[in-house]
Every structure is written in structure tokens, then in C-alpha cells.
Amino acid sequence: MASLAETETPDIRVRTVSVTDYELIVGLMDGRTIAVPLAWFPRLLNASPEQRSHWELAGAGYGIHWPDLDEDLNTEGLLRGARAPRGSATWRPGMA
């Protein structure tokens, strides 16, 4: 017989976001914290602290959007360890 805890789906919506010089740290509604290297996301790595701190919830709370950077991440990808596509590594602040 399965317990209630085993049948509940974890709530992987975003609760908090912080970005240091080296890490993206995302707190989830279910209490977990995901910390990934900022180097995985060149747009965030190359952004100013002000641009990094200007984020919005997206996708009903399952995603994070940085409007100044045109960067979007979702919690499923972060939990899988998905990195930014190779093409985004060439992006630099000020590029269209």
C-alpha cells in the first residue's frame, strides 16, 4: 500500500531565485533547492548583477524569465541538468 507521501507529485514551481557570480540558485515550492554553475548559462554569466536580479516567474510558476536578457529557464530542465544550447555561448551584453 502506497503512502500519501509516495503518491503526491512534488511541487517544482519556483519559489525563489538568486544569482551569484558563480551559481544560479532556485528554491522550489516543495522545499528543494537547485544550484547550478552560472557557466551553464552564458547569457546570465555575461549579464550585469542588475540584469541577473531582474527576473519574472513564467509558465505558471514552472519557469523563470529574464526580460532584459531574453533568457528563459524551467524547473524541469534545471532538475535534469540541462545547459543552454551551444549557440547561446556567443551572446554578449549589448548584442541584438
Side-chain angles (χ1 to χ4, degrees), residues 8-62:
E8 287 183 19
T9 303
D11 189 350
I12 62 170
R13 289 176 297 148
V14 175
R15 184 173 40 90
T16 61
V17 175
S18 62
V19 186
T20 71
D21 287 340
Y22 305 102
E23 288 183 310
L24 168 64
I25 304 159
V26 180
L28 303 180
M29 291 294 215
D30 67 7
R32 289 182 285 174
T33 301
I34 306 167
V36 296
L38 205 55
W40 287 10
F41 307 104
R43 288 182 180 182
L44 291 174
L45 180 66
N46 293 314
S48 70
E50 293 79 20
Q51 290 171 314
R52 292 176 188 164
S53 67
H54 182 211
W55 60 274
E56 304 169 345
L57 287 176
Y62 293 94

